[in-house]
Amino acid sequence: QSIHMAHVASVEVDTNLFFSNVVIETSGGSEPVRCYGHRKRDAVEMKRLINKYQSDYYGPNRQSAHV
């Protein structure tokens, strides 16, 4: 499944004893994307990268598409 970063509403990391799961919720109301069985550091890095991309995308230096 593919989701544009603009449609990601939240990213959660659920850490278990051995592995971590990542849950990505969308703003479109569809079912969340669930990814199972990651190492904790990989799951945390996935969340960090998505959050960073969104911060960069929606940040104060973003250029308007209608210039």
Side-chain angles (χ1 to χ4, degrees), residues 38-55:
H38 300 283
R39 290 183 295 183
K40 180 180 178 181
R41 70 175 175 211
D42 292 337
V44 169
E45 180 67 1
M46 289 168 62
K47 180 176 179 171
R48 185 192 72 77
L49 288 170
I50 292 169
N51 289 337
K52 180 185 181 317
Y53 182 88
Q54 286 188 316
S55 294

Side-chain angles (χ1 to χ4, degrees), residues 13-22 37-47:
V13 175
D14 178 26
T15 303
N16 296 310
L17 185 59
F18 295 108
F19 295 104
S20 295
N21 303 321
V22 178
H38 300 283
R39 290 183 295 183
K40 180 180 178 181
R41 70 175 175 211
D42 292 337
V44 169
E45 180 67 1
M46 289 168 62
K47 180 176 179 171

